[in-house]
Amino acid sequence: MNDSTGLDGRREPRIVVVGAGVSGITSAHVLRERGFTDVTVLEKGSDVGGVWHWNRYPGLTCDVPSQIYQFGFAPKADWSKLWADGREIQQYHRDVVDELGLADLIRCGVEVVAAEFDDATGEWTLSTADGETIVADFVLCATGVLQNPAVPDIEGLDSFTGPVVHTARWDDDLVTDGRRIAVLGTGSTGVQVVSALQPGAQKLTHFVRSPQWVLWAPMRLPQLPGTAALLGRLPTVHEKIYQGLLWGSGIFADVVLRPSWRRKAVQRYAHLSLRAQVRDRELRKRLTPDHQPLCKRQVVSGTYYRALQQPNAELVTAGIEKVTPTGIVTADGVEHDVDVIVLATGFRAHDYMRPMRITGREGIALDDAWADGPRAYRMTAIPGFPNLFTVLGPNSPTGSISLQFSAELTAKYIAQWLERWRAGDVDRIEVTEEAADDFSAAVAEAMGPTVWNTGCHSWYFTESGRIDLFPFDRGEMIRMLSAPDPEDFTLHRVER
């Protein structure tokens, strides 16, 4: 037990944050603002930024407008585009860390491989890949959703003699111009990389098992001239615009959370986007999904359909049977000769902290606790794991709420528990099974009328068939995370 007490009579908790992406940077800022002084952020990558550090494939662009895809505590007036590219977003994260003085809290290149709770001392011991051990009073898992690449299990993939690259681990030295490129995957990443690689390719073949709806948007538009100067001089106006955009995103909550005229309007626009850009009826038929628009993570692009209709591009909808040393064989018996295979196949989105080995009270392993899929009370706490919290944990992805807003709200919620520990009110904080079950039941009930529950199969679904999203609006999230509900927790005070 950490008994270090300051001159003011308060204990200072040793806090380790795992991950330095959106949620890790936010947590570090909130904790420093609340006066916590023993905070260490461990990041396995060579730089901060999380998904924006690991992903640097050609065409990488955020599908959320730049002026809302930013930290509320670190506004950026001078975005170059209305939808920023990955390189600019990564640099923004680096700049935020430097400008807010958070760099001294963050250790990059440190991968946490295990964390174990000691029942006797109430401490967590973290082990790193380099053999270091770190003792903490609290662990905040800010590992995000999109961190572990999903590699498809395709016969013969290892036998391919050319480059095979996953978009989340792009090789900057890879030459694609003048080559025959196969792209596997139809989400936002697949659409973006097809659009970027098609102009220079000898031939680009997009293998599409299940087409997705693609909303047209002018993704390459620059930010309006004069915007940066205006917002830079008038930070109050900038803040009002940001708050207005957060409020406006609530309209999209009405679209995804319940059937409404707004949902129908967006879905009609998805149909129009396809019909207006693809005039060839046969190709349009092959690009038409068998599910409702918005059921999967919505794809936005202004260039994909045009790229697919170029002479050097081909759409293949037959299933992949196997990979040979020189190509890909589809279920119709055709072998497609290719030089490069690009896997735009997404992530194991429900891993969260894993492959970290996390062991809680009485030796409970996280893998066992999550045998039926990941779950966390209000996205933050897991039964059996005292003094461990998740930031943007299970059920935290949303269809309408800014991740930065969610992360800041969650970090402030967790900070309230840490303040109670610092004041000496409590030593061990653990959510009850009943409270976690009640939250899961509320999520399941609220999921009923959502568009994600209309019949498609997407990465939102866990292996047990649950939809791992937040099916409530921003107001409900604020209500849940404004202040802790002590009756939902088992609180221990250790006698000294």
Side-chain angles (χ1 to χ4, degrees):
M1 174 67 66
N2 175 20
D3 289 320
S4 59
T5 304
L7 296 177
D8 58 1
R10 299 189 304 177
R11 299 179 296 173
E12 189 58 40
R14 297 163 295 180
I15 306 166
V16 171
V17 180
V18 183
V22 167
S23 52
I25 293 171
T26 300
S27 299
H29 167 72
V30 168
L31 293 174
R32 172 165 279 185
E33 288 287 291
R34 295 295 182 96
F36 294 99
T37 58
D38 195 343
V39 178
T40 303
V41 181
L42 303 178
E43 167 56 51
K44 66 181 179 180
S46 60
D47 201 356
V48 302
V51 68
W52 300 106
H53 163 71
W54 293 106
N55 284 260
R56 34 181 201 276
Y57 60 83
L60 174 60
T61 306
C62 186
D63 56 8
V64 177
S66 308
Q67 285 297 340
I68 195 173
Y69 196 83
Q70 57 185 330
F71 300 107
F73 52 82
K76 177 177 171 63
D78 59 344
W79 292 104
S80 63
K81 299 177 183 177
L82 293 181
W83 285 269
D85 62 33
R87 188 181 301 274
E88 187 173 13
I89 295 173
Q90 161 62 13
Q91 186 59 51
Y92 165 66
H93 285 86
R94 181 73 256 172
D95 292 343
V96 168
V97 165
D98 291 339
E99 291 169 7
L100 295 183
L102 301 176
D104 60 325
L105 304 182
I106 301 172
R107 295 176 55 194
C108 290
V110 179
E111 181 179 3
V112 178
V113 296
E116 184 174 358
F117 183 75
D118 188 312
D119 291 324
T121 65
E123 297 172 327
W124 282 93
T125 299
L126 295 89
S127 304
T128 72
D130 293 334
E132 181 183 4
T133 58
I134 301 169
V135 178
D137 298 302
F138 287 90
V139 176
L140 275 58
C141 296
T143 48
V145 178
L146 307 180
Q147 59 151 328
N148 294 322
V151 177
D153 183 14
I154 301 175
E155 179 186 345
L157 185 60
D158 292 340
S159 72
F160 186 68
T161 55
V164 178
V165 59
H166 195 286
T167 51
R169 298 295 184 268
W170 191 262
D171 181 357
D172 293 331
D173 295 326
L174 177 65
V175 176
T176 57
D177 283 357
R179 308 182 79 177
R180 298 169 298 180
I181 306 168
V183 177
L184 284 58
T186 58
S188 292
T189 299
V191 164
Q192 290 179 1
V193 80
V194 163
S195 300
L197 297 183
Q198 172 272 318
Q202 176 185 333
K203 182 177 182 181
L204 186 143
T205 306
H206 195 190
F207 291 84
V208 174
R209 181 178 58 185
S210 175
Q212 296 227 60
W213 294 104
V214 181
L215 297 182
W216 182 87
M219 304 290 287
R220 297 179 179 177
L221 277 181
Q223 186 166 262
L224 294 176
T227 299
L230 175 65
L231 298 183
R233 286 196 305 267
L234 302 172
T236 302
V237 172
H238 195 181
E239 171 65 14
K240 288 182 178 179
I241 289 174
Y242 176 71
Q243 293 298 330
L245 289 170
L246 287 179
W247 175 86
S249 66
I251 296 175
F252 199 64
D254 184 58
V255 171
V256 296
L257 298 183
R258 61 192 68 86
S260 68
W261 67 268
R262 292 187 179 91
R263 179 187 294 182
K264 292 179 180 178
V266 175
Q267 291 179 333
R268 282 196 294 268
Y269 180 67
H271 284 273
L272 177 62
S273 294
L274 174 59
R275 188 166 60 250
Q277 295 178 83
V278 181
R279 308 313 293 267
D280 181 276
R281 290 186 177 182
E282 178 57 31
L283 179 60
R284 188 166 68 234
K285 180 179 179 181
R286 295 167 64 207
L287 284 167
T288 301
D290 60 1
H291 57 267
Q292 290 187 28
L294 304 172
C295 185
K296 297 184 178 184
R297 167 73 180 179
Q298 187 55 58
V299 180
V300 182
S301 174
T303 54
Y304 172 67
Y305 288 139
R306 183 168 68 248
L308 267 189
Q309 295 174 86
Q310 300 307 305
N312 68 333
E314 180 184 13
L315 175 71
V316 174
T317 55
I320 294 175
E321 186 175 280
K322 64 180 179 179
V323 175
T324 70
T326 59
I328 295 175
V329 178
T330 46
D332 54 8
V334 177
E335 180 165 0
H336 306 264
D337 294 330
V338 299
D339 303 313
V340 179
I341 296 178
V342 176
L343 303 177
T345 46
F347 300 85
R348 302 194 306 272
H350 311 295
D351 281 5
Y352 291 100
M353 300 86 84
R354 296 172 289 186
M356 285 172 53
R357 300 184 306 277
I358 301 182
T359 307
R361 172 178 48 79
E362 299 176 357
I364 301 171
L366 183 68
D367 283 343
D368 293 334
W370 282 1
D372 294 327
R375 67 171 187 145
Y377 164 86
R378 298 185 183 180
M379 308 160 288
T380 64
I382 308 167
F385 297 82
N387 294 3
L388 179 142
F389 293 94
T390 56
V391 188
L392 299 185
N395 290 114
S396 63
T398 77
S400 60
I401 305 172
S402 158
L403 286 178
Q404 290 82 355
F405 176 86
S406 302
E408 187 173 358
L409 187 64
T410 303
K412 289 178 177 177
Y413 169 86
I414 295 169
Q416 293 179 68
W417 279 123
L418 303 186
E419 286 168 344
R420 289 195 58 178
W421 189 97
R422 181 166 61 181
D425 294 342
V426 64
D427 290 315
R428 300 181 190 180
I429 303 160
E430 181 184 341
V431 71
T432 66
E433 287 280 357
E434 293 76 14
D437 288 343
D438 287 348
F439 176 71
S440 295
V443 166
E445 181 179 0
M447 204 64 72
T450 68
V451 72
W452 313 307
N453 198 34
T454 55
C456 69
H457 178 74
S458 70
W459 65 262
Y460 295 152
F461 283 83
T462 67
E463 290 184 1
S464 60
R466 292 200 292 259
I467 302 175
D468 187 14
L469 291 172
F470 187 77
F472 308 102
D473 60 22
R474 192 163 66 104
E476 183 65 9
M477 179 181 283
I478 292 171
R479 186 196 68 77
M480 288 183 180
L481 297 177
S482 288
D485 291 330
E487 64 272 18
D488 289 341
F489 287 77
T490 299
L491 305 176
H492 290 289
R493 183 74 174 89
V494 178
E495 295 297 331
R496 293 179 179 80

